[in-house]
Amino acid sequence: MQKKWLAVALASALIVGVTGAVQAAGAKIGVVNTEVILRDSPAAQAAGKKLEREFSKRDKEINAAGQRLKSDIERFEKNAGTMTEQERVRKQRDLQDRDRDFQRRQRELREDFNQRRNEELQKLLQQANKVIKEIAQRDKYDLILQEAIYADPKVDITDQVLKELK
């Protein structure tokens, strides 16, 4: 963990040093906050709604199965004392099997959702990078950074990227 922070600190110091040298040479610099782009852009919000629609039915089905399982477990615990040993063991195994299946389905849903979210984010990042390059060429930027630790608001072009990103 410390190595990671050291690497980030060194990279930041290098960027600050390069940025200072570039600015001293009269270069035009811009900074984009990728996190804001991924959160606030219309494309990001549309992707979020698309994923919600895509996974909502499956999520509801799994949640309903979980509620049924919970109810059946509670009923089993309430009635276990009145069951025969054989019936109790059979019912317990059935509930364990259903619980394993439920957990597997939840895990698969999370994995599928994360994969689709990553695909959508990758598309959005490609669109954003294209827009950033267009802005850089059109407005004659010498350097555009993403993810700066600190940037003066006068060099932040995030809002401009958001406006042009469709």
Side-chain angles (χ1 to χ4, degrees):
M1 185 73 158
Q2 288 178 335
K3 289 181 181 180
K4 190 175 188 178
W5 283 107
L6 180 60
V8 169
L10 289 173
S12 299
L14 178 64
I15 290 171
V16 169
V18 168
T19 304
V22 171
Q23 280 185 328
K28 188 172 180 181
I29 297 174
V31 176
V32 176
N33 186 336
T34 308
E35 183 179 323
V36 171
I37 301 293
L38 293 176
R39 183 188 66 224
D40 297 345
S41 71
Q45 292 172 2
K49 289 177 184 174
K50 177 180 177 183
L51 288 171
E52 187 177 316
R53 283 190 310 272
E54 187 174 324
F55 286 92
S56 66
K57 180 181 177 190
R58 199 165 137 198
D59 185 49
K60 288 177 185 174
E61 289 171 355
I62 291 172
N63 285 335
Q67 288 299 320
R68 285 190 304 274
L69 178 62
K70 181 180 176 186
S71 172
D72 290 348
I73 289 172
E74 290 170 357
R75 190 175 320 112
F76 169 76
E77 290 171 350
K78 181 179 173 186
N79 299 328
T82 62
M83 295 179 180
T84 66
E85 179 70 19
Q86 186 179 9
E87 185 181 8
R88 187 175 48 75
V89 169
R90 183 187 56 76
K91 186 70 170 169
Q92 193 171 20
R93 283 185 187 149
D94 178 56
L95 290 171
Q96 288 172 342
D97 289 345
R98 286 178 52 202
D99 185 51
R100 273 193 300 273
D101 182 57
F102 172 70
Q103 290 178 20
R104 178 189 53 79
R105 290 177 63 198
Q106 278 186 316
R107 184 179 57 252
E108 288 173 353
L109 176 67
R110 280 192 309 270
E111 290 170 357
D112 291 348
F113 179 81
N114 287 335
Q115 181 179 355
R116 285 287 297 121
R117 185 185 68 212
N118 289 339
E119 290 170 2
E120 292 297 323
L121 289 176
Q122 193 61 35
K123 287 180 196 174
L124 179 57
L125 282 172
Q126 288 174 351
Q127 291 172 342
N129 285 335
K130 182 179 176 190
V131 168
I132 291 167
K133 287 176 185 176
E134 290 170 359
I135 291 171
Q137 292 171 350
R138 182 187 65 229
D139 296 346
K140 304 205 183 323
Y141 279 92
D142 296 306
L143 177 67
I144 294 183
L145 301 172
Q146 292 178 320
E147 304 308 322
I149 292 173
Y150 170 78
D152 191 318
K154 66 183 174 191
V155 297
D156 188 348
I157 63 167
T158 304
D159 289 338
Q160 184 179 358
V161 174
L162 281 172
K163 288 177 189 171
E164 294 186 28
L165 191 61
K166 295 179 173 104

